[in-house]
Amino acid sequence: MVQDLYNKVTDSGRLYWMYEGNEDNYKVEEASESSKMKLVGNNLKLSRINGVNCYSDSNKIPSTLTYEDMDMYKSKHPVTVSSVCQFNKDENWNSDEIGFSKEYIEEVYQDLFGKNAKLNIDIVIPMDLYNGEVYKYVKYMKQTGGTGCGSTSGEIIKAVTDNKTLKIYEKLTVEKCNDKTGAIDKSLEENKNIIYTFELENDGMYKFVSRLREK
């Protein structure tokens, strides 16, 4: 159970991107819905795909959309994305348009944040936007490029329960790049301990409460 809960709220290979720059001081009750939906997106299972037909449904799916994205440094900027159906036309691809039902997204949302948590369909999951015409969250894409340097790795060092509270302690190692050489510099490596807190609800499930740096 501890490993499963930890996996729900971590993505160490991508520098905890879903916490929007608050990765050492993240409290769910104070968090933006944007960051919560990034956590939702990180928990979607391909086995729950609800397909969209690019032929019969294409007229219901906008080819491109522009929305305000919130990056990890909390600066808003417009992002234009294309539906997979549109990418198929533009790039001569033959990929399936992926969709997830609203009910499934709500299920994941409440699994993370509690059975009484209310999903706001106006807030996007990165690259998955709700479409009221087909009643699904539909996959959109954007062109990307470039390379990165550095890595983040975490490991569970202990888990502690107290009444209805479960705390998972993580040792986090961040390898940083040297600005001059562009390579990982061990002398810049940072280590810290992170505490993930979960609270047991009446239905026997744990909801995510916070991710805080241990003091």
Side-chain angles (χ1 to χ4, degrees):
M1 179 189 70
V2 169
Q3 187 67 54
D4 288 342
L5 290 173
Y6 176 75
N7 290 343
K8 287 180 181 180
V9 294
T10 59
D11 187 4
S12 59
R14 298 181 63 189
L15 301 178
Y16 300 90
W17 58 278
M18 55 280 216
Y19 293 106
E20 295 185 346
N22 293 320
E23 59 268 20
D24 288 355
N25 185 33
Y26 187 87
K27 299 177 182 178
V28 170
E29 64 179 9
E30 299 173 2
S32 68
E33 286 300 312
S34 169
S35 68
K36 291 180 186 178
M37 293 305 276
K38 287 176 180 177
L39 280 160
V40 168
N42 202 45
N43 281 272
L44 298 181
K45 299 183 184 303
L46 294 180
S47 61
R48 297 293 298 271
I49 286 174
N50 192 323
V52 178
N53 191 307
C54 281
Y55 299 99
S56 62
D57 293 328
S58 61
N59 62 323
K60 301 176 183 178
I61 304 171
S63 299
T64 60
L65 291 173
T66 299
Y67 68 96
E68 292 292 321
D69 186 34
M70 181 78 79
D71 66 22
M72 66 181 294
Y73 300 105
K74 303 182 73 172
S75 60
K76 289 186 176 180
H77 53 90
V79 174
T80 299
V81 292
S82 299
S83 71
V84 175
C85 295
Q86 186 61 40
F87 256 74
N88 286 342
K89 295 178 182 178
D90 294 343
E91 306 294 335
N92 196 28
W93 287 3
N94 189 28
S95 298
D96 294 328
E97 177 64 86
I98 293 174
F100 293 101
S101 71
K102 173 179 174 290
E103 290 75 19
Y104 173 56
I105 299 299
E106 188 167 43
E107 175 187 322
V108 175
Y109 188 89
Q110 293 180 341
D111 180 61
L112 279 165
F113 307 118
K115 61 182 183 297
N116 295 320
K118 303 297 183 183
L119 173 69
N120 182 348
I121 62 174
D122 292 328
I123 307 299
V124 305
I125 304 170
M127 301 297 99
D128 292 88
L129 288 74
Y130 184 68
N131 185 302
E133 291 290 322
V134 293
Y135 304 103
K136 298 172 185 175
Y137 282 77
V138 179
K139 178 68 69 179
Y140 279 75
M141 305 173 69
K142 66 177 178 180
Q143 295 284 4
T144 58
T147 58
C149 178
S151 65
T152 301
S153 60
E155 63 175 321
I156 298 173
I157 53 178
K158 65 178 178 179
V160 179
T161 58
D162 180 14
N163 196 9
K164 291 188 174 183
T165 300
L166 169 64
K167 294 182 182 291
I168 299 174
Y169 290 74
E170 171 194 54
K171 179 184 177 182
L172 186 67
T173 301
V174 181
E175 293 184 332
K176 298 182 179 180
C177 286
N178 186 306
D179 290 337
K180 294 182 179 179
T181 66
I184 292 176
D185 188 336
K186 283 287 187 180
S187 68
L188 299 175
E189 184 176 275
E190 179 183 4
N191 291 277
K192 53 188 174 181
N193 286 350
I194 300 294
I195 305 172
Y196 298 88
T197 299
F198 299 83
E199 183 179 298
L200 184 65
E201 296 200 289
N202 293 334
D203 60 358
M205 303 296 289
Y206 279 95
K207 69 176 181 180
F208 181 41
V209 175
S210 63
R211 179 188 195 274
L212 306 174
R213 184 169 185 166
E214 187 176 21
K215 297 179 180 179

